[in-house]
Amino acid sequence: MTALKRIAAGLAAAGASWCAVAAPAPTDRVYTADQNTNTVSVFDPSANRLLGQIRLGNRRPDVLSPLYKGEINVHGLGFSPDRKTLLVVSNGSNSAIFIDTATNTVKGKTYIGRSPHEGFFTADGKEAWVVVRGEDYISVIDPVSFREKRRIQTAPGPGMVQFHPDGKLAFVVSSFTPELDVIDVKSHRVIKRIPVVSPFSPFLQFTPDHREVWMTHKDVGKVTRIDTRSLEVAGVIDTGFITNHLAFAKVGGEVLAYVTVGGENAVEVFSTGKEARLLTTIPTGALPHGIWASGDGSRMYVGLENGDGVEVIDTATNTTIARMGGGQAPQALVYLPDVAPAGAAPNLAPRMNEDPVNVPLRAVQGTGRGFVVARNLGVIDAFEVSLFKLKPRTQYNLFLAGQRTPTASFLTDAAGAANGTVIGPVKSYGGANAAEVPPGQRVLVMEGAASPSARDAALADAP
């Protein structure tokens, strides 16, 4: 038997779990990494309430000064095996921050390479590995001295790393290369490269028995299953537009997978047998992104990237039972049991942001789609626009009713997508659904230059 096969064969025997099996308690915490406010929001899952925020930087756009020293794009979350340390990755300021979960204070910071994305600790807790997505390596950090010890070469664009609990293998997805890299933890070397269906995978997670690792494909709306013993693809599941993260829970004796599908504002629930089946679809708020289960699997916590908060799903009924407001544009989300004294919330700041306004964009004809998020920044607003399935490499203009000139112009990429943010006195343009937006407050996206009369006619005719 080869060394690779011996390592893979040993994985089946490991049965450790990150989280103790217990219902949400006052000592448990849910964390979100808030990309726009550069905060970590801290929630009490036993009461479904926001306790406060760990402020790691200024809110966008107040991050552009040459003297600015705070974090930019707080994005990724990981944690140590003993759950005493939260690892926070900021992809704009190229940093990994180590936070004490009992006191909510920063223990140390490490600056690494371009655009890191996510990080996690090895099973023994002696190293923190952070994927450097803007390059082609993993930064290995000493969590005591907070110094980078070494770098592990990977495929370009490593997106996330997770460790098998027996400590032997690490699994690394990529955001730029259609493969999953398997790394021998002891030697810090890639020992196998597994081809997968697309180059953009932001997230992976083990099944509770650790016999499979599931990875999401954000670009093509799929999930790939990898057998951790044979180190081969075990199956591919069609999920949906903007597939983000996933989590597992044991419900009624059956292990189920919960997948956030951001473009559909939904969490899809799948069986995990040999042939995964879609069991139900749970509607959510705007653009679900991060997701994690409570220790007992009775709850799923879903971060809403465009809803600036967290929704709570009861897995017994697959219904949303609560919503908690949080920081702006939450990305990663983790649930950690028994990490803080009950009722204690030291060193947290109050929420700095209001709830956003979401406006979905629907094509009058064709397949185009998109959404707009308006966020208040005090005396001005941020108007974030995302467009999909339009003509490739084509200019589109965005108009607001009552304005004779475009609020913004976008050039789509080769896939017909574009996004950007407009800063100014935009204010709110309607409710959560397009049907609720008054005709005089419509948002219109039109190809190329448009005359005022054509623009006004399109606004009047828009559904």
Side-chain angles (χ1 to χ4, degrees), residues 341-364:
N347 304 306
L348 296 179
R351 189 188 189 201
M352 66 167 63
N353 55 285
E354 302 172 356
D355 286 341
V357 173
N358 281 271
V359 180
L361 300 176
R362 299 189 178 99
V364 177

Side-chain angles (χ1 to χ4, degrees), residues 132-278:
V132 182
R133 185 162 71 172
E135 301 188 53
D136 58 357
Y137 65 88
I138 294 172
S139 177
V140 180
I141 301 170
D142 182 335
V144 177
S145 67
F146 309 112
R147 294 182 180 274
E148 184 181 66
K149 298 170 54 177
R150 68 173 75 229
R151 295 178 176 183
I152 303 171
Q153 202 76 26
T154 66
M160 186 175 181
V161 60
Q162 287 273 29
F163 297 90
H164 196 282
D166 77 349
K168 295 179 180 179
L169 291 185
F171 295 79
V172 184
V173 296
S174 175
S175 293
F176 301 138
T177 307
E179 70 177 46
L180 178 141
D181 290 350
V182 183
I183 298 176
D184 174 51
V185 174
K186 184 176 181 180
S187 68
H188 297 94
R189 295 174 63 89
V190 176
I191 58 174
K192 186 167 184 178
R193 302 180 188 273
I194 304 172
V196 294
V197 297
S198 84
F200 188 8
S201 177
F203 188 83
L204 76 163
Q205 186 64 279
F206 288 101
T207 55
D209 61 7
H210 302 100
R211 293 189 176 188
E212 289 186 356
V213 61
W214 289 32
M215 58 186 287
T216 59
H217 298 276
K218 189 167 186 171
D219 53 345
V220 295
K222 297 179 185 293
V223 169
T224 294
R225 305 169 65 176
I226 305 291
D227 188 309
T228 59
R229 296 156 295 177
S230 67
L231 301 181
E232 301 288 346
V233 173
V236 178
I237 307 165
D238 290 326
T239 46
F241 184 54
I242 313 182
T243 294
N244 280 314
H245 293 193
L246 61 90
F248 297 96
K250 193 170 185 178
V251 182
E254 181 181 5
V255 175
L256 304 180
Y258 290 73
V259 183
T260 57
V261 184
E264 307 296 342
N265 290 339
V267 170
E268 294 184 344
V269 185
F270 292 88
S271 63
T272 58
K274 185 176 181 179
E275 299 293 335
R277 296 177 294 108
L278 177 63

Side-chain angles (χ1 to χ4, degrees), residues 70-93:
E71 302 310 313
I72 303 175
N73 291 4
V74 173
H75 191 99
L77 293 177
F79 51 88
S80 59
D82 62 8
R83 305 185 295 280
K84 293 182 179 180
T85 303
L86 185 71
L87 176 56
V88 183
V89 178
S90 300
N91 59 37
S93 45

Side-chain angles (χ1 to χ4, degrees), residues 200-414:
F200 188 8
S201 177
F203 188 83
L204 76 163
Q205 186 64 279
F206 288 101
T207 55
D209 61 7
H210 302 100
R211 293 189 176 188
E212 289 186 356
V213 61
W214 289 32
M215 58 186 287
T216 59
H217 298 276
K218 189 167 186 171
D219 53 345
V220 295
K222 297 179 185 293
V223 169
T224 294
R225 305 169 65 176
I226 305 291
D227 188 309
T228 59
R229 296 156 295 177
S230 67
L231 301 181
E232 301 288 346
V233 173
V236 178
I237 307 165
D238 290 326
T239 46
F241 184 54
I242 313 182
T243 294
N244 280 314
H245 293 193
L246 61 90
F248 297 96
K250 193 170 185 178
V251 182
E254 181 181 5
V255 175
L256 304 180
Y258 290 73
V259 183
T260 57
V261 184
E264 307 296 342
N265 290 339
V267 170
E268 294 184 344
V269 185
F270 292 88
S271 63
T272 58
K274 185 176 181 179
E275 299 293 335
R277 296 177 294 108
L278 177 63
L279 302 177
T280 190
T281 299
I282 306 169
T284 69
L287 197 63
H289 194 127
I291 186 169
W292 211 276
S294 61
D296 66 341
S298 66
R299 301 287 186 268
M300 281 287 168
Y301 297 85
V302 181
L304 303 176
E305 181 174 347
N306 284 352
D308 297 352
V310 173
E311 288 186 345
V312 185
I313 293 174
D314 180 345
T315 58
T317 61
N318 286 327
T319 57
T320 299
I321 59 173
R323 184 191 181 280
M324 303 176 281
Q328 286 184 346
Q331 304 292 303
L333 178 152
V334 295
Y335 181 107
L336 300 186
D338 197 26
V339 294
N347 304 306
L348 296 179
R351 189 188 189 201
M352 66 167 63
N353 55 285
E354 302 172 356
D355 286 341
V357 173
N358 281 271
V359 180
L361 300 176
R362 299 189 178 99
V364 177
Q365 55 183 312
T367 60
R369 61 193 303 177
F371 44 80
V372 174
V373 186
R375 291 184 169 99
N376 181 262
L377 303 178
V379 296
I380 58 174
D381 300 272
F383 211 58
E384 301 176 23
V385 183
S386 298
L387 307 173
F388 308 95
K389 298 186 177 182
L390 301 176
K391 292 181 180 179
R393 305 193 188 284
T394 302
Q395 179 181 330
Y396 287 84
N397 292 325
L398 182 142
F399 295 89
L400 301 179
Q403 297 186 349
R404 300 180 63 83
T405 58
T407 299
S409 295
F410 301 90
L411 181 65
T412 57
D413 59 19

